[in-house]
Coordinates of all heavy atoms in Angstrom, one line a residue:
M3 N 108.9 108.3 100.7 CA 107.6 108.7 100.6 C 106.7 107.4 100.2 O 107.1 106.8 99.3 CB 107.5 109.7 99.5 CG 106.2 110.4 99.5 SD 106.5 111.9 98.6 CE 105.0 112.5 98.1
S4 N 105.6 107.2 100.9 CA 104.9 106.0 100.6 C 103.9 106.2 99.6 O 103.2 107.2 99.5 CB 104.3 105.6 101.9 OG 105.2 105.3 102.8
T5 N 103.6 105.1 98.8 CA 102.5 105.1 97.8 C 101.2 104.6 98.5 O 101.3 103.7 99.3 CB 102.9 104.5 96.6 OG1 103.2 103.1 96.9 CG2 104.2 105.1 96.0
P6 N 100.1 104.9 97.9 CA 98.9 104.3 98.4 C 98.8 102.9 98.3 O 98.3 102.2 99.2 CB 97.8 104.9 97.5 CG 98.4 106.1 96.9 CD 99.9 105.9 96.9
S7 N 99.5 102.1 97.4 CA 99.5 100.8 97.3 C 100.3 100.0 98.4 O 99.9 99.0 98.8 CB 100.1 100.3 95.9 OG 101.5 100.7 95.8
Q8 N 101.3 100.8 98.9 CA 102.1 100.2 100.0 C 101.2 100.3 101.3 O 101.3 99.3 102.0 CB 103.3 101.0 100.2 CG 104.3 100.8 99.0 CD 105.5 101.8 99.1 OE1 105.4 102.7 99.9 NE2 106.5 101.6 98.4
F9 N 100.4 101.3 101.5 CA 99.6 101.4 102.7 C 98.5 100.4 102.5 O 98.0 99.9 103.6 CB 99.1 102.8 102.9 CG 100.1 103.7 103.5 CD1 100.4 104.9 102.8 CD2 100.8 103.4 104.6 CE1 101.5 105.8 103.3 CE2 101.7 104.2 105.1 CZ 102.0 105.4 104.5
S10 N 98.0 100.2 101.3 CA 96.7 99.4 101.1 C 97.0 97.9 101.6 O 96.2 97.3 102.0 CB 96.2 99.4 99.7 OG 97.2 98.9 98.8
A11 N 98.2 97.4 101.3 CA 98.6 96.1 101.7 C 98.6 96.0 103.2 O 98.0 95.0 103.7 CB 100.0 95.7 101.2
A12 N 99.1 97.0 103.9 CA 99.2 96.9 105.4 C 97.7 97.1 105.9 O 97.3 96.5 106.9 CB 100.1 97.9 105.9
D13 N 97.0 98.0 105.4 CA 95.6 98.3 105.7 C 94.8 97.0 105.5 O 93.9 96.8 106.4 CB 95.0 99.5 105.0 CG 95.6 100.8 105.4 OD1 96.3 100.7 106.6 OD2 95.6 101.7 104.7
S14 N 94.8 96.4 104.4 CA 94.0 95.3 104.2 C 94.3 94.1 105.1 O 93.5 93.4 105.7 CB 94.2 94.7 102.8 OG 95.5 94.2 102.5
A15 N 95.7 93.9 105.5 CA 96.0 93.0 106.4 C 95.4 93.3 107.8 O 95.0 92.4 108.6 CB 97.5 92.8 106.5
S16 N 95.5 94.6 108.2 CA 94.9 95.2 109.4 C 93.4 94.9 109.4 O 92.9 94.4 110.6 CB 95.2 96.6 109.6 OG 94.7 97.1 110.7
R17 N 92.7 95.1 108.4 CA 91.4 94.9 108.3 C 90.9 93.4 108.6 O 90.1 93.0 109.3 CB 90.7 95.4 107.0 CG 90.4 96.7 107.0 CD 89.6 97.2 105.8 NE 90.2 98.5 105.4 CZ 90.9 98.6 104.3 NH1 91.0 97.6 103.4 NH2 91.4 99.8 103.9
K18 N 91.8 92.5 108.0 CA 91.5 91.1 108.0 C 91.7 90.6 109.5 O 91.0 89.7 110.1 CB 92.4 90.3 107.2 CG 92.2 90.3 105.7 CD 93.2 89.6 104.9 CE 92.9 89.8 103.4 NZ 94.0 89.2 102.6
I19 N 92.7 91.2 110.2 CA 93.0 90.8 111.6 C 91.9 91.3 112.4 O 91.5 90.5 113.3 CB 94.4 91.5 112.0 CG1 95.5 90.7 111.3 CG2 94.5 91.3 113.5 CD1 96.8 91.4 111.5
R20 N 91.4 92.5 112.2 CA 90.2 92.9 113.0 C 89.0 92.2 112.7 O 88.2 92.0 113.7 CB 90.0 94.5 112.7 CG 91.0 95.4 113.4 CD 90.7 96.9 113.2 NE 91.6 97.4 112.3 CZ 91.5 98.2 111.4 NH1 90.2 98.5 111.1 NH2 92.4 98.6 110.6
M21 N 88.8 91.7 111.6 CA 87.5 91.0 111.4 C 87.5 89.5 111.8 O 86.6 88.8 112.0 CB 87.3 91.1 109.7 CG 87.0 92.5 109.3 SD 86.7 92.5 107.6 CE 85.0 92.0 107.6
Q22 N 88.7 89.0 112.1 CA 88.8 87.6 112.4 C 88.7 87.4 113.9 O 89.0 88.4 114.7 CB 90.2 87.0 112.0 CG 90.4 86.7 110.5 CD 91.8 86.2 110.2 OE1 92.6 86.1 111.1 NE2 92.0 86.0 109.0
R23 N 88.0 86.4 114.3 CA 87.9 86.2 115.7 C 89.0 85.3 116.2 O 89.3 84.2 115.5 CB 86.4 85.5 116.0 CG 85.4 86.4 115.7 CD 84.1 85.8 116.0 NE 83.5 86.8 117.0 CZ 82.5 86.6 117.7 NH1 81.9 85.4 117.5 NH2 82.0 87.5 118.5
V24 N 89.6 85.6 117.2 CA 90.7 84.9 117.9 C 90.0 83.8 118.7 O 89.2 84.0 119.6 CB 91.6 85.8 118.6 CG1 92.7 84.8 119.3 CG2 92.2 86.8 117.8
P25 N 90.3 82.5 118.3 CA 89.7 81.4 119.2 C 90.4 81.3 120.5 O 91.5 81.7 120.7 CB 90.0 80.1 118.4 CG 91.2 80.5 117.5 CD 91.2 82.0 117.3
R26 N 89.6 80.9 121.5 CA 90.1 80.8 122.8 C 90.0 79.3 123.2 O 89.1 78.6 122.9 CB 89.2 81.6 123.8 CG 89.3 83.1 123.6 CD 88.5 83.8 124.7 NE 88.8 85.2 124.6 CZ 89.6 85.9 125.4 NH1 90.1 85.3 126.4 NH2 89.8 87.1 125.3
E27 N 90.9 79.0 123.9 CA 91.0 77.6 124.4 C 90.4 77.6 125.8 O 90.7 78.4 126.6 CB 92.5 77.2 124.6 CG 92.9 76.1 123.6 CD 94.4 75.8 123.7 OE1 94.9 75.7 124.9 OE2 95.0 75.7 122.8
V28 N 89.7 76.5 126.0 CA 89.1 76.3 127.4 C 89.9 75.2 128.0 O 89.8 74.0 127.6 CB 87.7 76.1 127.3 CG1 87.1 75.8 128.7 CG2 86.9 77.2 126.6
D29 N 90.5 75.5 129.1 CA 91.4 74.6 129.8 C 90.8 74.4 131.2 O 90.9 75.3 132.0 CB 92.9 74.9 129.8 CG 93.7 73.9 130.5 OD1 93.4 72.7 130.4 OD2 94.7 74.3 131.1
R30 N 90.1 73.3 131.6 CA 89.6 73.1 132.9 C 88.6 74.2 133.2 O 88.6 74.7 134.4 CB 90.6 73.0 133.9 CG 91.5 71.8 133.7 CD 92.6 71.7 134.8 NE 93.5 70.7 134.4 CZ 94.7 70.6 135.1 NH1 94.9 71.2 136.1 NH2 95.5 69.6 134.6
G31 N 87.9 74.7 132.2 CA 86.9 75.7 132.6 C 87.4 77.1 132.7 O 86.6 78.1 133.0
N32 N 88.7 77.4 132.5 CA 89.3 78.6 132.7 C 89.7 79.1 131.2 O 90.6 78.6 130.6 CB 90.6 78.5 133.5 CG 91.2 79.8 133.7 OD1 90.6 80.9 133.5 ND2 92.4 79.9 134.2
P33 N 88.9 80.1 130.7 CA 89.3 80.5 129.4 C 90.6 81.3 129.3 O 90.8 82.2 130.1 CB 88.1 81.5 129.0 CG 87.5 81.9 130.3 CD 87.8 80.8 131.3
S34 N 91.4 80.9 128.4 CA 92.7 81.6 128.2 C 92.9 81.7 126.8 O 92.7 80.8 126.0 CB 93.9 80.8 128.9 OG 94.0 79.6 128.3
P35 N 93.6 82.8 126.4 CA 93.8 83.0 124.9 C 94.9 82.0 124.4 O 95.8 81.6 125.0 CB 94.2 84.5 124.8 CG 94.8 84.7 126.2 CD 94.0 83.9 127.2
D36 N 94.6 81.6 123.2 CA 95.7 80.8 122.5 C 96.6 81.7 121.8 O 96.3 82.4 120.7 CB 95.0 80.0 121.4 CG 95.9 79.0 120.7 OD1 97.0 78.8 121.0 OD2 95.4 78.5 119.6
W37 N 97.8 81.9 122.4 CA 98.7 82.9 121.9 C 99.4 82.6 120.5 O 99.7 83.5 119.8 CB 99.9 83.1 123.0 CG 99.3 83.7 124.2 CD1 99.2 83.0 125.4 CD2 98.9 85.1 124.4 NE1 98.6 83.9 126.3 CE2 98.5 85.2 125.8 CE3 98.7 86.1 123.5 CZ2 97.9 86.3 126.3 CZ3 98.2 87.3 124.1 CH2 97.8 87.4 125.4
S38 N 99.3 81.4 120.1 CA 99.8 81.0 118.8 C 98.9 81.5 117.8 O 99.3 81.9 116.7 CB 99.9 79.5 118.6 OG 98.7 78.9 118.8
S39 N 97.6 81.6 118.0 CA 96.6 82.2 117.0 C 96.9 83.7 116.9 O 96.8 84.3 115.9 CB 95.2 81.9 117.4 OG 94.9 82.5 118.7
Y40 N 97.2 84.4 118.1 CA 97.5 85.8 118.0 C 98.9 86.0 117.2 O 98.8 86.9 116.4 CB 97.7 86.3 119.4 CG 96.5 86.6 120.3 CD1 96.3 86.0 121.4 CD2 95.5 87.5 119.7 CE1 95.2 86.3 122.2 CE2 94.4 87.8 120.5 CZ 94.2 87.1 121.7 OH 93.1 87.4 122.4
A41 N 99.8 85.2 117.4 CA 101.0 85.3 116.6 C 100.8 85.1 115.2 O 101.4 85.8 114.4 CB 102.1 84.2 117.2
Q42 N 100.0 84.2 114.7 CA 99.7 83.9 113.4 C 99.0 85.1 112.8 O 99.4 85.6 111.6 CB 98.8 82.7 113.2 CG 99.6 81.4 113.5 CD 98.6 80.2 113.4 OE1 97.4 80.4 113.4 NE2 99.2 79.0 113.4
L43 N 98.1 85.7 113.5 CA 97.4 86.9 113.0 C 98.3 88.1 112.8 O 98.2 88.8 111.8 CB 96.2 87.2 113.9 CG 95.0 86.3 113.9 CD1 94.1 86.7 114.9 CD2 94.3 86.3 112.5
M44 N 99.1 88.3 113.8 CA 100.0 89.4 113.8 C 101.2 89.3 112.7 O 101.7 90.2 112.2 CB 100.6 89.8 115.2 CG 99.5 90.3 116.0 SD 98.4 91.6 115.4 CE 99.7 92.9 115.2
S45 N 101.5 88.0 112.5 CA 102.7 87.8 111.5 C 102.3 88.2 110.2 O 103.1 88.8 109.4 CB 103.1 86.3 111.6 OG 102.2 85.5 111.0
G46 N 101.0 88.0 109.8 CA 100.5 88.5 108.5 C 100.5 90.0 108.4 O 101.0 90.5 107.4
Y47 N 100.1 90.6 109.5 CA 100.2 92.1 109.4 C 101.7 92.7 109.4 O 102.0 93.6 108.6 CB 99.5 92.6 110.7 CG 99.6 94.1 110.8 CD1 98.7 94.9 110.2 CD2 100.4 94.7 111.7 CE1 98.7 96.4 110.3 CE2 100.5 96.0 111.9 CZ 99.7 96.9 111.1 OH 99.6 98.2 111.3
D48 N 102.5 92.0 110.2 CA 104.0 92.4 110.2 C 104.6 92.2 108.8 O 105.3 93.1 108.4 CB 104.7 91.7 111.3 CG 104.3 92.1 112.7 OD1 103.7 93.2 112.9 OD2 104.7 91.3 113.6
E49 N 104.2 91.1 108.3 CA 105.0 90.8 107.0 C 104.5 91.8 105.9 O 105.3 92.3 105.1 CB 104.6 89.4 106.5 CG 105.3 88.3 107.3 CD 104.9 87.0 107.0 OE1 104.1 86.8 106.0 OE2 105.3 86.0 107.7
A50 N 103.2 92.2 106.0 CA 102.7 93.2 104.9 C 103.4 94.5 105.2 O 103.7 95.2 104.3 CB 101.2 93.3 105.0
M51 N 103.5 94.9 106.5 CA 104.1 96.2 106.8 C 105.7 96.2 106.4 O 106.1 97.2 105.9 CB 104.0 96.5 108.3 CG 104.4 97.8 108.7 SD 104.0 98.3 110.4 CE 104.4 96.9 111.3
I52 N 106.3 95.1 106.7 CA 107.7 95.0 106.3 C 107.9 95.1 104.9 O 108.8 95.7 104.3 CB 108.3 93.8 107.0 CG1 108.4 94.1 108.5 CG2 109.7 93.5 106.3 CD1 108.8 92.8 109.2
R53 N 107.0 94.4 104.1 CA 107.1 94.4 102.7 C 106.9 95.8 102.2 O 107.5 96.2 101.2 CB 106.0 93.4 102.0 CG 106.1 93.2 100.6 CD 105.1 92.2 100.0 NE 104.8 91.1 101.0 CZ 103.6 91.0 101.6 NH1 102.7 91.9 101.4 NH2 103.3 90.0 102.4
G54 N 106.0 96.5 102.7 CA 105.8 98.0 102.3 C 107.0 98.8 102.5 O 107.4 99.6 101.7
W55 N 107.6 98.6 103.7 CA 108.9 99.4 104.0 C 110.0 99.0 103.0 O 110.7 99.9 102.6 CB 109.2 99.0 105.5 CG 108.4 99.6 106.6 CD1 107.4 100.6 106.4 CD2 108.4 99.3 107.9 NE1 106.8 100.9 107.6 CE2 107.4 100.1 108.6 CE3 109.1 98.3 108.7 CZ2 107.2 100.0 109.9 CZ3 108.9 98.4 110.0 CH2 108.0 99.2 110.6
K56 N 110.1 97.8 102.8 CA 111.2 97.3 101.9 C 110.9 98.0 100.5 O 111.9 98.4 99.9 CB 111.2 95.8 101.7 CG 112.3 95.3 100.9 CD 112.2 93.8 100.8 CE 113.5 93.4 100.0 NZ 113.1 92.4 98.9
E57 N 109.8 98.0 100.0 CA 109.5 98.6 98.6 C 109.8 100.0 98.8 O 110.4 100.6 97.8 CB 108.0 98.4 98.3 CG 107.7 96.9 97.9 CD 106.2 96.6 97.7 OE1 105.4 97.5 97.8 OE2 105.9 95.4 97.5
E58 N 109.5 100.7 99.8 CA 109.7 102.2 100.0 C 111.2 102.3 100.0 O 111.7 103.3 99.4 CB 109.0 102.7 101.3 CG 109.1 104.2 101.3 CD 108.3 104.7 102.6 OE1 107.6 104.0 103.2 OE2 108.5 105.9 102.9
I59 N 111.9 101.6 100.7 CA 113.4 101.8 100.8 C 114.0 101.5 99.4 O 114.9 102.3 99.0 CB 114.0 100.8 101.8 CG1 113.7 101.3 103.2 CG2 115.5 100.7 101.6 CD1 114.4 102.7 103.6
D60 N 113.5 100.6 98.7 CA 114.0 100.3 97.3 C 113.8 101.5 96.4 O 114.7 101.9 95.6 CB 113.3 99.0 96.8 CG 113.9 97.8 97.5 OD1 114.9 97.7 98.1 OD2 113.2 96.7 97.3
T61 N 112.6 102.1 96.5 CA 112.5 103.3 95.7 C 113.3 104.4 96.0 O 113.7 105.1 95.2 CB 110.9 103.7 95.9 OG1 110.1 102.5 95.5 CG2 110.5 104.8 95.0
L62 N 113.4 104.6 97.4 CA 114.3 105.7 97.8 C 115.8 105.5 97.3 O 116.4 106.4 97.0 CB 114.2 105.9 99.4 CG 112.9 106.5 99.8 CD1 112.9 106.4 101.4 CD2 112.7 107.9 99.4
L63 N 116.2 104.3 97.5 CA 117.6 104.0 97.0 C 117.8 104.2 95.5 O 118.8 104.7 95.1 CB 118.0 102.6 97.4 CG 118.2 102.4 99.0 CD1 118.5 100.9 99.1 CD2 119.4 103.2 99.3
V64 N 116.8 103.9 94.6 CA 116.9 104.1 93.3 C 116.9 105.6 93.0 O 117.7 106.1 92.3 CB 115.7 103.4 92.5 CG1 115.5 103.9 91.0 CG2 115.9 102.0 92.5
F65 N 116.0 106.4 93.6 CA 116.0 107.8 93.5 C 117.3 108.4 93.9 O 117.9 109.3 93.3 CB 114.8 108.4 94.4 CG 114.8 109.9 94.3 CD1 114.5 110.6 93.2 CD2 115.4 110.6 95.6 CE1 114.5 112.0 93.2 CE2 115.4 112.0 95.5 CZ 114.9 112.7 94.3
A66 N 117.9 108.0 95.1 CA 119.1 108.5 95.5 C 120.2 108.3 94.5 O 121.2 109.1 94.3 CB 119.5 108.0 96.9
G67 N 120.3 107.0 94.0 CA 121.3 106.7 93.0 C 121.2 107.5 91.7 O 122.2 108.1 91.2
L68 N 119.9 107.7 91.3 CA 119.8 108.6 90.1 C 120.1 110.1 90.3 O 120.8 110.7 89.5 CB 118.4 108.4 89.6 CG 117.9 107.1 89.0 CD1 116.5 107.1 88.7 CD2 118.8 106.9 87.8
F69 N 119.7 110.6 91.5 CA 120.0 111.9 91.8 C 121.5 112.1 92.0 O 122.0 113.1 91.5 CB 119.4 112.3 93.2 CG 119.6 113.7 93.7 CD1 118.9 114.8 93.1 CD2 120.5 113.9 94.6 CE1 119.2 116.0 93.5 CE2 120.7 115.2 95.1 CZ 120.1 116.3 94.5
S70 N 122.2 111.2 92.6 CA 123.6 111.3 92.8 C 124.5 111.3 91.3 O 125.3 112.1 91.1 CB 124.2 110.1 93.5 OG 125.6 110.1 93.6
A71 N 123.9 110.4 90.5 CA 124.5 110.4 89.1 C 124.3 111.7 88.3 O 125.2 112.3 87.7 CB 123.8 109.3 88.3
V72 N 123.1 112.4 88.5 CA 122.8 113.6 87.8 C 123.6 114.8 88.3 O 124.3 115.5 87.6 CB 121.4 114.0 87.8 CG1 121.1 115.4 87.4 CG2 120.6 113.0 87.0
V73 N 123.8 114.8 89.7 CA 124.5 115.9 90.4 C 126.1 115.7 90.1 O 126.7 116.7 89.8 CB 124.3 115.8 91.9 CG1 125.3 116.7 92.6 CG2 122.9 116.2 92.2
T74 N 126.5 114.5 90.0 CA 127.9 114.2 89.7 C 128.1 114.7 88.3 O 129.2 115.3 87.9 CB 128.2 112.7 89.7 OG1 128.0 112.3 91.1 CG2 129.7 112.5 89.4
A75 N 127.3 114.4 87.3 CA 127.5 114.9 85.9 C 127.5 116.4 85.9 O 128.5 116.9 85.1 CB 126.4 114.4 85.0
F76 N 126.7 117.1 86.6 CA 126.7 118.6 86.6 C 128.0 119.1 87.2 O 128.6 120.1 86.8 CB 125.5 119.1 87.3 CG 124.2 119.2 86.4 CD1 123.2 118.4 86.7 CD2 124.2 120.0 85.3 CE1 122.0 118.4 85.9 CE2 123.1 120.1 84.5 CZ 122.0 119.2 84.7
N77 N 128.5 118.4 88.3 CA 129.7 118.8 89.0 C 130.9 118.6 88.1 O 131.8 119.4 88.1 CB 129.8 118.0 90.4 CG 129.0 118.6 91.4 OD1 128.5 119.6 91.3 ND2 128.8 117.8 92.4
I78 N 131.0 117.6 87.3 CA 132.0 117.4 86.4 C 132.1 118.5 85.4 O 133.2 119.1 85.1 CB 131.9 116.0 85.7 CG1 132.3 114.9 86.8 CG2 133.0 115.9 84.6 CD1 132.0 113.5 86.3
E79 N 131.0 118.9 84.9 CA 131.0 120.0 83.7 C 131.2 121.3 84.5 O 131.9 122.1 83.9 CB 129.6 119.9 83.1 CG 129.4 118.9 82.2 CD 130.5 118.6 81.2 OE1 130.9 119.6 80.6 OE2 130.9 117.5 80.9
A80 N 130.8 121.6 85.7 CA 131.0 122.8 86.3 C 132.4 122.9 86.8 O 133.1 124.0 86.8 CB 130.1 123.0 87.5
Y81 N 133.0 121.9 87.1 CA 134.5 121.9 87.6 C 135.4 122.3 86.4 O 136.4 123.1 86.7 CB 135.0 120.4 88.0 CG 136.3 120.4 88.5 CD1 136.6 121.0 89.8 CD2 137.3 119.9 87.8 CE1 138.0 120.8 90.3 CE2 138.6 119.9 88.3 CZ 138.9 120.3 89.6 OH 140.2 120.4 90.0
K82 N 135.0 122.0 85.2 CA 135.8 122.4 84.0 C 135.8 124.0 83.8 O 136.7 124.6 83.3 CB 135.3 121.7 82.8 CG 135.6 120.2 82.7 CD 134.9 119.7 81.5 CE 135.0 118.1 81.5 NZ 134.3 117.6 80.4
L83 N 134.7 124.6 84.2 CA 134.5 126.0 84.1 C 135.2 126.8 85.2 O 135.3 128.1 85.1 CB 133.0 126.4 84.1 CG 132.2 125.7 82.9 CD1 130.8 126.0 83.1 CD2 132.7 126.2 81.5
L84 N 135.7 126.2 86.2 CA 136.3 126.9 87.4 C 137.7 127.4 86.8 O 138.3 126.7 86.2 CB 136.5 126.0 88.5 CG 135.2 125.7 89.3 CD1 135.4 124.6 90.4 CD2 134.4 126.8 89.8
Q85 N 138.1 128.6 87.3 CA 139.4 129.1 87.0 C 140.3 129.0 88.3 O 139.8 128.9 89.4 CB 139.3 130.5 86.6 CG 138.4 130.8 85.4 CD 138.3 132.3 85.3 OE1 138.7 133.1 86.0 NE2 137.6 132.6 84.1
D86 N 141.6 129.0 88.0 CA 142.6 128.9 89.1 C 142.5 130.2 89.9 O 142.7 131.3 89.4 CB 143.9 128.6 88.5 CG 144.9 128.3 89.7 OD1 144.5 128.0 90.7 OD2 146.1 128.4 89.4
P87 N 142.2 130.1 91.2 CA 142.0 131.4 92.0 C 143.3 132.1 92.2 O 143.3 133.3 92.2 CB 141.5 130.9 93.3 CG 141.6 129.4 93.3 CD 141.8 128.9 92.0
S88 N 144.5 131.4 92.0 CA 145.7 132.2 92.2 C 146.0 133.0 91.0 O 146.6 134.1 91.1 CB 146.8 131.1 92.3 OG 147.0 130.3 91.3
D89 N 145.6 132.6 89.8 CA 145.7 133.5 88.6 C 144.9 134.7 88.7 O 145.3 135.8 88.3 CB 145.3 132.6 87.3 CG 146.2 131.6 87.0 OD1 147.3 131.5 87.5 OD2 145.9 130.6 86.3
I90 N 143.7 134.5 89.1 CA 142.8 135.7 89.3 C 143.3 136.7 90.3 O 143.4 137.9 90.1 CB 141.4 135.3 89.7 CG1 140.7 134.5 88.5 CG2 140.5 136.5 90.0 CD1 139.4 133.8 88.9
T91 N 143.8 136.2 91.4 CA 144.4 137.0 92.5 C 145.7 137.8 91.9 O 145.8 138.9 92.2 CB 144.8 136.2 93.7 OG1 143.6 135.4 94.1 CG2 145.3 136.9 94.9
A92 N 146.5 137.1 91.3 CA 147.7 137.7 90.7 C 147.3 138.8 89.7 O 147.9 139.9 89.6 CB 148.6 136.6 90.0
Q93 N 146.3 138.6 88.9 CA 145.9 139.5 87.9 C 145.3 140.8 88.6 O 145.6 141.9 88.3 CB 144.8 139.0 87.0 CG 145.4 138.0 86.0 CD 144.2 137.4 85.2 OE1 143.0 137.7 85.3 NE2 144.5 136.5 84.2
L94 N 144.5 140.6 89.7 CA 143.9 141.8 90.4 C 145.0 142.5 91.1 O 145.0 143.7 91.1 CB 142.9 141.2 91.4 CG 141.5 140.7 90.8 CD1 140.8 140.1 91.9 CD2 140.8 141.8 90.1
L95 N 146.0 141.8 91.6 CA 147.1 142.5 92.4 C 147.9 143.3 91.4 O 148.5 144.4 91.5 CB 148.0 141.6 93.1 CG 147.3 140.9 94.4 CD1 148.3 139.9 94.9 CD2 147.1 142.0 95.4
Q96 N 148.0 142.7 90.2 CA 148.9 143.5 89.2 C 148.1 144.7 88.7 O 148.7 145.7 88.5 CB 148.9 142.5 87.9 CG 149.9 143.1 86.7 CD 151.3 143.2 87.2 OE1 151.8 142.4 88.0 NE2 152.0 144.1 86.6
Q97 N 146.7 144.6 88.6 CA 145.9 145.8 88.3 C 146.1 146.9 89.3 O 146.2 148.1 89.0 CB 144.5 145.5 88.0 CG 144.1 145.2 86.7 CD 142.5 145.0 86.6 OE1 141.9 144.5 87.6 NE2 142.0 145.1 85.5
I98 N 146.0 146.5 90.6 CA 146.1 147.4 91.6 C 147.5 148.1 91.7 O 147.5 149.3 91.9 CB 145.8 146.7 93.0 CG1 144.3 146.3 93.2 CG2 146.1 147.7 94.2 CD1 144.0 145.4 94.3
L99 N 148.5 147.3 91.4 CA 149.8 147.9 91.4 C 149.9 148.9 90.2 O 150.6 149.9 90.4 CB 150.8 146.7 91.2 CG 152.3 147.1 91.2 CD1 152.7 147.8 92.5 CD2 153.2 145.9 90.8
Q100 N 149.4 148.6 89.1 CA 149.5 149.5 88.0 C 148.7 150.7 88.3 O 149.1 151.9 87.9 CB 149.0 148.8 86.7 CG 149.9 147.9 86.1 CD 149.3 147.2 84.9 OE1 148.2 147.4 84.6 NE2 150.1 146.2 84.4
Q101 N 147.5 150.7 88.9 CA 146.7 151.9 89.2 C 147.5 152.7 90.4 O 147.3 154.0 90.3 CB 145.4 151.5 89.8 CG 144.5 151.0 88.6 CD 143.1 150.5 89.1 OE1 142.9 150.4 90.3 NE2 142.2 150.0 88.2
L102 N 148.2 152.1 91.3 CA 148.7 152.9 92.4 C 150.1 153.4 91.8 O 150.6 154.4 92.6 CB 148.9 152.0 93.5 CG 147.7 151.6 94.3 CD1 148.0 150.6 95.5 CD2 146.9 152.7 94.8
A103 N 150.7 152.9 90.9 CA 152.0 153.4 90.5 C 151.8 154.8 89.8 O 151.0 154.9 88.9 CB 152.7 152.4 89.6
P104 N 152.8 155.7 90.1 CA 152.6 157.0 89.5 C 153.1 157.1 88.0 O 153.5 156.5 87.4 CB 153.5 157.9 90.2 CG 154.4 157.1 91.1 CD 153.7 155.7 91.1

């Protein structure tokens, strides 16, 4: 789950990219885009987005680790309360036998 601060980093980078004008190179009267300037602009946006994803994954991993620890603690305590099913089955069969015997 993303937090607003993670989105704000990517959004601010996106706004900066939209507000900047990409310079064009003029080569022999033929305007062509300077692709390195596009790459520089997009690398900032990509880095902000990747940083946000990394922070989100870190948060999810911490949550998963804590959740796993809590569930393990409950399972250990619950396991102690379990009874051996063969004992219960033997007791029930013994009761049935006593009830059926004349």
Side-chain angles (χ1 to χ4, degrees):
M3 197 162 160
S4 298
T5 61
S7 64
Q8 292 170 351
F9 283 127
S10 63
D13 290 341
S14 64
S16 176
R17 279 190 219 108
K18 287 178 186 175
I19 289 171
R20 280 187 251 137
M21 295 177 79
Q22 290 178 356
R23 299 188 116 183
V24 178
R26 292 184 173 256
E27 245 178 43
V28 178
D29 184 33
R30 296 182 192 168
N32 184 15
S34 64
D36 180 14
W37 292 108
S38 64
S39 60
Y40 284 122
Q42 288 174 348
L43 290 173
M44 292 311 295
S45 68
Y47 176 77
D48 289 344
E49 287 172 8
M51 188 170 45
I52 290 170
R53 193 177 322 108
W55 288 347
K56 183 181 180 227
E57 290 171 1
E58 185 174 353
I59 286 293
D60 288 343
T61 303
L62 289 173
L63 288 174
V64 168
F65 174 77
L68 292 173
F69 181 77
S70 175
V72 169
V73 169
T74 301
F76 279 113
N77 282 339
I78 289 171
E79 293 302 317
Y81 184 76
K82 294 175 186 176
L83 300 174
L84 292 177
Q85 298 175 357
D86 188 14
S88 61
D89 292 342
I90 295 172
T91 304
Q93 289 174 0
L94 290 174
L95 287 174
Q96 186 69 25
Q97 264 184 339
I98 292 171
L99 182 63
Q100 287 176 359
Q101 288 176 356
L102 291 177

